[in-house]
Amino acid sequence: MAIPPVSSTQKTPETGLFGLPVIVAALGYFVDIYDLLLFGIVRVPSLKDLGLTPDQISTVGASILNWQMGGLLLGGILWGIIGDKKGRLSVLFGSIITYSIANIACGFVKHITFMDPSTYYALMRFVAGIGLAGELGAGITLVSEVLPKEKRAIGTSLVAGIGLFGAVVAYFTVKLFDWQTAFFVGGGLGFGLLLLRVGVVESGMFKDVSDQKHVNRGDFLSFFTNADRFSRYLKCIGIGLPTWFVIGILATFSNEFGKAFGISEEIQPGLAIMWCYVGLATGDLASGFISHALESRKKGVALLMAIALVFSLVYLYTGIQSSTALYGLCLAMGFGIGYWAMFVTIGAEQFGTNLRATAATTVPNMVRGLVIPMTLSYQALKPSLAVINAGAIVGLVCFIIGFYSILTIPETHGKDLNYLEE
């Protein structure tokens, strides 16, 4: 149940669309996406350098990706609780230190002798996942609370739209240098970002709540103790499933789909992921303006989700015969799933200030964590259904849940966020 906060003299600082909190959140998400997608981009060349066979690259690569996603799932809960108990800025600092150190450590995987390099790789991606889990949710929460409600959709879209181009920079870093250097660059960018964060101030809404000692903040279990709150929480997660189906299955394993389509040219998953994120960044920039124009989060997300569904079906079942067509469809599908920022914003807007960072941080990382059953299902279905149908079955489940969730969740456009969850 929503209740108004006890009155306080604290005021949320006024900021514009290009104020320091928005700029730093966007740059933070840029580094976050760079590091998050880097393993998907270097999966094939890095595992080849470790001496793995093509079959091992598929299975071991999926396993390492799952370890990273498991770290995101755990980290989402950890940083979400810290964000509501200690403040949004605590997460922005702590998470970036964690994933920057882990990414630098990944650059040394080829030289590891004290344990199996693949095991070390998985462990470091797990630690990186824990760190990466905190960036987006805390940034979106902070921006949502310091911007006027009429600018929230556009502001959060700017954060995600700019940030998602980190995937493009990651791809070209690998191309210009090598996969090991790319990990070192990611760690260096993270530590450089820490210097920019010094001038960012805490959300006034959080300061209000933190002064009220009787308010229960960051209680993750409270999402499961109230039927209405639990329903909203599950629907927030469900909205995001199609996004990571496109990224985690169709783009990440695009080399396998390319073979199944009969494309003679070898498909590069890193390039497919890059084009997917170019589309995603474009869609994210557009989603805020679409939501603002329609005066509805739900209509904007449903429209983009429908676009993603159409192009996913085109990708799977129209018999594409060229790498250009495949990469072009990754771009188009990426635009369709470009409601990612809006999805995270909806997660933040659905809950009161005392649970907002927990929701906004755990929801996207629950979705990322669900890539584990997606990839396991895809791998399990391949022997009997083959690559294309295995991917389609996983996608069908994701889109059904996604559409049901967005059509039934409460609308939050223009909602006043200065309230508490009882």
Side-chain angles (χ1 to χ4, degrees):
M1 180 185 297
I3 59 174
V6 176
S7 61
S8 168
T9 57
Q10 298 276 11
K11 299 294 182 183
T12 301
E14 290 293 328
T15 189
L17 284 174
F18 298 99
L20 188 61
V22 178
I23 293 171
V24 172
L27 292 175
Y29 192 40
F30 178 94
V31 178
D32 175 273
I33 288 296
Y34 177 103
D35 290 331
L36 177 65
L37 273 294
L38 188 55
F39 174 70
I41 293 171
V42 306
R43 176 178 61 94
V44 174
S46 65
L47 294 178
K48 275 184 179 178
D49 277 1
L50 295 182
L52 275 62
T53 66
D55 286 342
Q56 289 175 320
I57 288 173
S58 178
T59 56
V60 174
S63 176
I64 295 174
L65 178 63
N66 286 344
W67 275 99
Q68 175 178 296
M69 294 306 174
L72 285 159
L73 184 61
L74 177 63
I77 299 172
L78 171 67
W79 295 118
I81 293 171
I82 292 173
D84 277 325
K85 287 186 177 295
K86 301 297 183 181
R88 288 48 168 144
L89 295 184
S90 299
V91 176
L92 292 177
F93 280 96
S95 64
I96 201 167
I97 292 171
T98 304
Y99 70 71
S100 296
I101 292 173
N103 276 287
I104 290 171
C106 285
F108 294 103
V109 64
K110 191 176 178 181
H111 307 288
I112 296 300
T113 56
F114 60 87
M115 65 187 300
D116 176 63
S118 296
T119 303
Y120 170 87
Y121 207 173
L123 179 61
M124 290 302 101
R125 293 319 300 164
F126 177 75
V127 175
I130 291 175
L132 291 164
E135 188 70 39
L136 178 60
I140 291 292
T141 301
L142 180 63
V143 170
S144 295
E145 291 179 343
V146 300
L147 283 178
K149 61 184 179 181
E150 63 272 13
K151 294 182 180 180
R152 281 202 307 262
I154 297 174
T156 54
S157 292
L158 286 172
V159 170
I162 295 169
L164 290 166
F165 279 105
V168 179
V169 174
Y171 174 79
F172 283 108
T173 302
V174 174
K175 284 296 179 185
L176 290 173
F177 303 102
D178 56 47
W179 63 268
Q180 293 165 288
T181 302
F183 277 121
F184 296 143
V185 169
L189 287 172
F191 284 116
L193 183 63
L194 285 175
L195 300 177
L196 289 176
R197 292 234 158 112
V198 174
V200 180
V201 297
E202 185 60 85
S203 158
M205 289 185 191
F206 172 77
K207 289 179 180 178
D208 284 349
V209 174
S210 63
D211 288 342
Q212 301 170 29
K213 304 304 181 184
H214 66 284
V215 175
N216 189 17
R217 294 179 280 120
D219 182 6
F220 177 68
L221 294 179
S222 66
F223 291 119
F224 307 95
T225 57
N226 175 280
D228 174 65
R229 194 156 49 227
F230 182 56
S231 174
R232 282 180 281 140
Y233 188 68
L234 288 183
K235 288 175 182 178
C236 286
I237 295 169
I239 293 168
L241 291 181
T243 63
W244 269 93
F245 162 69
V246 171
I247 300 164
I249 301 297
L250 299 185
T252 298
F253 295 98
S254 56
N255 56 327
E256 297 180 13
F257 284 98
K259 288 180 181 178
F261 298 149
I263 298 174
S264 57
E265 182 182 348
E266 183 178 359
I267 299 298
Q268 302 176 49
L271 189 55
I273 291 170
M274 187 206 77
W275 281 115
C276 186
Y277 268 79
V278 170
L280 212 166
T282 306
D284 256 321
L285 285 170
S287 67
F289 294 95
I290 293 172
S291 171
H292 186 74
L294 296 175
E295 298 185 345
S296 170
R297 304 279 190 261
K298 296 174 63 171
K299 291 178 182 178
V301 170
L303 174 62
L304 288 169
M305 193 182 294
I307 293 173
L309 174 60
V310 169
F311 283 112
S312 295
L313 290 172
V314 172
Y315 178 95
L316 289 167
Y317 288 117
T318 58
I320 54 178
Q321 294 295 309
S322 70
S323 60
T324 302
L326 187 145
Y327 295 135
L329 283 168
C330 285
L331 176 69
M333 291 187 295
F335 180 84
I337 60 171
Y339 62 84
W340 179 254
M342 200 54 53
F343 143 73
V344 180
T345 303
I346 289 172
E349 293 174 335
Q350 287 290 332
F351 302 96
T353 307
N354 55 320
L355 288 178
R356 187 165 297 128
T358 306
T361 305
T362 58
V363 164
N365 290 301
M366 289 289 179
V367 175
R368 289 162 169 171
L370 287 170
V371 172
I372 297 173
M374 286 187 208
T375 56
L376 291 176
S377 299
Y378 169 68
Q379 297 286 353
L381 291 170
K382 276 197 302 183
S384 58
L385 297 179
V387 169
I388 296 174
N389 289 332
I393 293 297
V394 175
L396 178 64
V397 174
C398 291
F399 276 103
I400 288 175
I401 296 173
F403 276 110
Y404 171 77
S405 299
I406 191 58
L407 294 176
T408 57
I409 200 168
E411 178 64 71
T412 56
H413 176 81
K415 184 177 182 180
D416 184 357
L417 297 187
N418 195 21
Y419 69 95
L420 305 175
E421 292 283 336
E422 185 177 17

